[in-house]
Amino acid sequence: MEDSESPVIVLVDDEDMVVTSIKSLLTLETDYHVEGFTRPADALEFIKSNRVDVVVSDYLMPDMDGISLLTQVKEIQPEATRILLTGYADKENAIKAINDVGLYQYIEKPWENEDLKIVLRNGLEKRILLQRLQDKIAEVNKAHGELMNLQKDILKAFA
Amino acid sequence: MGKNTPSILIVDDEEMVLSSLRGVFTLQTDYDVHEASTPKEALSYVERARVDVVISDFLMPEMNGIELLKEIKQLQPEAIRLLLTGYADKENAIKAINEVGLYHYLEKPWDNEALLNIVRNALSEKGLRQQLTTKVRELDQLLRQHGELEAKHRSIERELEMAARIQRSLLPERFPELSGFRFANLYEPCEALGGDFFDVMEKDDGAVLLVSDVIGHGVQAALTTMLLKGVFQESADRIDEPTELLEEMNRRLHAVLPSGMYAAAAVFYLSSGSDHIAYANAGLPYPFVLRKEKRLDEIVLPGAPLGLFAGNLVSYESRQIVAKTGDVVVVGSDGIGSVVAGDGAMFEDEELRKTLEELSGRDGATIIEEAMKRALAFGNNAPLPDDVMLVAMTRT
């Protein structure tokens, strides 16, 4: 099976060619584990039961548009970074969605491979930073609680 | 400009680029925008002021953008660096991303919305890094405090252990050889140091027994028991009567104990071979007499605890307890009675009397040991809520 340490990227586009080409780019040039889907419903199914780091979705798809898909992804895994892939004509919608739905970034079609890689790298970095921050906050809270208990133990000796 | 307003530095040798970037940021953000038209100017700014994001052109006369951003990284490693590049220089820009650790590159002509979004993401990443650093520092500090406190805790425990040893040495090593009586006792402090205490003093042809329970447990209570022992030893030596002894002890303890500290106590005057025990009580639970013929008597005698009220407000009464051969007088703190069962019932509600009645007729040592076992079982062997002390006087 896959190395659980490598970042998981979910790719959704109704055009099989887009999925295949991005997937082969990332498989060749990065250590990401890429899950590609041509149907948004299948992607959602996967995201419901697997931890994912970044979701890249096409905007125009027959069953469900990319913004609705990414909105649902936010409900399921709020920490995942969400990126929209969009044709020039839909740029306005993409920009609006960045603010409305809290998308990380949009990438215009046709994309430049280097650009795509930078956006993914930065999006992933954000995801990792968020995770580390949450972990640290939990650690701080735990350490704080233990300190309080120790103080209580010491005070008890003098009660 | 607020302290938390993001600070942006834009560097380009073309005035037109500078002014259009300035326009975008000024109109659409609240960032602090600073400009430099040469790399030298940019470096001199970064040397003296904090910047969050630097956007630099690639092709400039003195130094190219990649070299500039490399030097800026040395000066302010946390600053996020973006490169602005013409189409022809894109290859260089992409190389620099990996080599110099740039955040992003932007192709001229840029799209304002894309630029703003990239800068926003850059700032949010920098903010996350800062929060993370703060949390890491906070955690380090907590862990250090924890370590220090743990060391202190260990040293306090060592000291408490020493104090507990001293406190145990205050209890009488043995009971006096008194014709007609056999003594037994049981002492279980719920923490290292306890507030329960007893002492016995041989006197003429008899003995005086003190049983007491200082309010609370731990250090305060332990210190008070030491005081109590001194006051008892000194007073009992010259006083031959239980009410007078309690009144004297009350007077002296009230004078020295901090307000709110007090001790319940009872005293017993025993004479060699005599069936009569003179008893006075300062708030300790009433003693029981377990008759040889399997009957239980409780000797009811209320009294104010020692040290709580001034001497002129308190007086005590005494009672004669008659104990014939085979009878056992059992007295103690309220510790055994305060053991609580799962349903909230206390051992003293019903079980204590029932247990003692059942045990009457047996020897004092067996009675208190067995009573303790049953109290612990009653409380499902949970840790004791209070110090437990019992003394049994068996009339032989």
Side-chain angles (χ1 to χ4, degrees), chain B residues 332-386:
Chain B
S333 64
D334 60 357
I336 193 167
S338 63
V339 173
V340 183
D343 62 0
M346 289 173 81
F347 193 62
E348 66 189 3
D349 293 345
E350 285 167 13
E351 286 302 312
L352 178 61
R353 284 172 187 77
K354 227 160 73 185
T355 301
L356 291 177
E357 190 164 1
E358 260 175 54
L359 293 171
S360 59
R362 301 171 78 171
D363 179 70
T366 317
I367 291 168
I368 54 180
E369 255 172 57
E370 191 58 32
M372 183 68 196
K373 257 187 237 162
R374 296 202 194 170
L376 284 173
F378 179 78
N380 293 317
N381 293 304
L384 290 171
D386 194 1

Side-chain angles (χ1 to χ4, degrees), chain A residues 1-8 31-33 51 53 124 128:
Chain A
M1 276 303 287
E2 287 301 323
D3 180 359
S4 64
E5 292 297 305
S6 60
V8 178
D31 66 342
Y32 307 157
H33 169 65
R51 199 193 79 111
D53 296 301
L124 202 54
I128 291 164

Side-chain angles (χ1 to χ4, degrees), chain A residues 44 47 52 55 68-78 80-82:
Chain A
L44 282 174
I47 291 164
V52 302
V55 181
S68 331
L69 171 65
L70 292 175
T71 307
Q72 289 188 50
V73 171
K74 187 185 181 182
E75 304 273 319
I76 305 167
Q77 292 196 41
T81 297
R82 287 153 299 131

